[in-house]
């Protein structure tokens, strides 16, 4: 009830980007009773949301016109820039833009420098996959302003952690997701080592799960997640572009070595059997 009190003055929320994450997030907000207008580059993905009660927009500009709050959940910095070109001139003074994509701090700060007068930008990338997006159990890492209505909406998506000025949520997101991706890659490789040494797979998994990599073991065998390998490779590139990280450079080589896995969940790195 408290969350809804904070957002009761919002008359229009635009949600742009209805992929694996955006669609369940938008559906969750819609189910919470928020007035949602949706847009997606591939229009067919927006239709189920329209059938559930969202207003369908034909372009990003049409979606954000007169919106109090704009949420974006897009693949990468290129997608965010492409959408921003259409969105920026259409935002009304007083609008709040909240980007939940994983694009790194540089893209967020570049976008913040281009905002029209009277518009705020908050980066709010998320940890947690499609299953947590659907249930409103994400971990939301916030950089920049967090006015009451923005906080109210983000609290519907999950647990909100303030990180500092604009871009800091995206910076922390890169740190956390690279730790997860690296951990998954190491666990997948040590499972392969266990196979090569002739050990039973169940024994190796159970014993690994008792140690400090327990969380990564859980992610390697997760069933409700869908984090495509190609997006994981993008997150590692965003990190290795910013600092010398030789271990993560090797992880990126592993992630890009098998293009047939690009759209599969990160757990597909584990060996068969
Ligand atoms: P996705 O299913 O691939 O969806 C990507 C979205 O971006 C789609 O709506 C896509 O539109 C849109 N898009 C891509 N290029 C575009 C462009 N040039 N112009 C306009 N729209 C464009 O990815 P996702 O799993 O939802 O992930 C979205 C973001 O969240 C990524 O930054 C990812 O790293 C991050 N994330 C993902 C997970 C996860 O478990 N999947 C978890 C946390 C964070 P189309 O439908 O037209 O392709």
């Amino acid at each position: 009830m408290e969350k809804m009190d904070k957002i009761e003055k919002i008359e229009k929320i635009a949600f742009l980007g209805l992929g694996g994450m955006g669609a369940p997030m938008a559906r969750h907000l819609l189910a919470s009773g928020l007035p949602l207008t949706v847009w997606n580059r591939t229009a067919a993905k927006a239709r189920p949301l329209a059938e559930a009660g969202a207003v369908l927009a034909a372009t990003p500009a049409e979606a954000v016109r007169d919106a109090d709050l704009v949420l974006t959940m897009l693949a990468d910095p290129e997608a965010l820039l492409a959408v921003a070109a259409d969105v920026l001139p259409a935002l009304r003074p007083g609008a709040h833009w909240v980007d939940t994509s994983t694009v790194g701090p540089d893209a967020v700060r570049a976008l913040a420098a281009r905002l029209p007068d009277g518009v705020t930008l908050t980066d709010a990338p998320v940890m947690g996959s499609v299953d947590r997006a659907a249930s409103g159990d994400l971990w939301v890492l916030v950089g920049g302003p967090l006015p009451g209505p923005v906080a109210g909406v983000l609290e519907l998506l999950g647990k909100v952690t303030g990180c500092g000025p604009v871009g800091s949520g995206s910076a922390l997101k890169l740190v956390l997701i690279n730790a997860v991706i690296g951990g998954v890659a190491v666990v997948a490789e040590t499972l392969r080592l266990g196979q090569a040494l002739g050990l039973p797979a169940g024994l190796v998994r159970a014993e690994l799960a008792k140690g400090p990599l327990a969380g990564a073991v859980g992610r390697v065998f997760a069933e409700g997640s869908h984090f495509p390998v190609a997006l994981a490779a993008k997150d590692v590139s965003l990190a290795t572009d910013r600092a010398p990280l030789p271990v993560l450079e090797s992880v990126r080589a592993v992630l890009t070595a098998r293009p047939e896995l690009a759209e599969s969940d990160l757990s597909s790195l584990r060996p068969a059997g």
Side-chain angles (χ1 to χ4, degrees), residues 120-135:
T120 66
L121 177 70
T122 301
D123 53 315
V126 301
M127 293 292 289
S129 194
V130 295
D131 44 359
R132 287 175 171 264
S135 58

Side-chain angles (χ1 to χ4, degrees), residues 17-22 39-42 45 73-76 78-79 82-83 100-103 126-130 173 226-228 231 234-235:
L18 304 168
M21 290 295 286
W39 172 85
N40 193 60
R41 179 181 62 174
T42 304
K45 291 189 198 165
M73 186 37 136
L74 299 160
D76 51 27
E78 294 72 32
V83 170
T100 64
S101 329
T102 304
V103 293
V126 301
M127 293 292 289
S129 194
V130 295
K173 164 76 200 217
H226 186 76
F227 180 40
L231 290 179
K234 174 262 303 177
D235 289 352

Side-chain angles (χ1 to χ4, degrees), residues 181 184-185 188 192 229 254-255 261 265-271:
I181 296 166
V184 165
R192 210 163 272 120
V229 169
V254 169
L255 294 171
L261 295 184
D265 179 57
L266 187 61
S267 59
S268 63
L269 292 188
R270 75 172 190 249

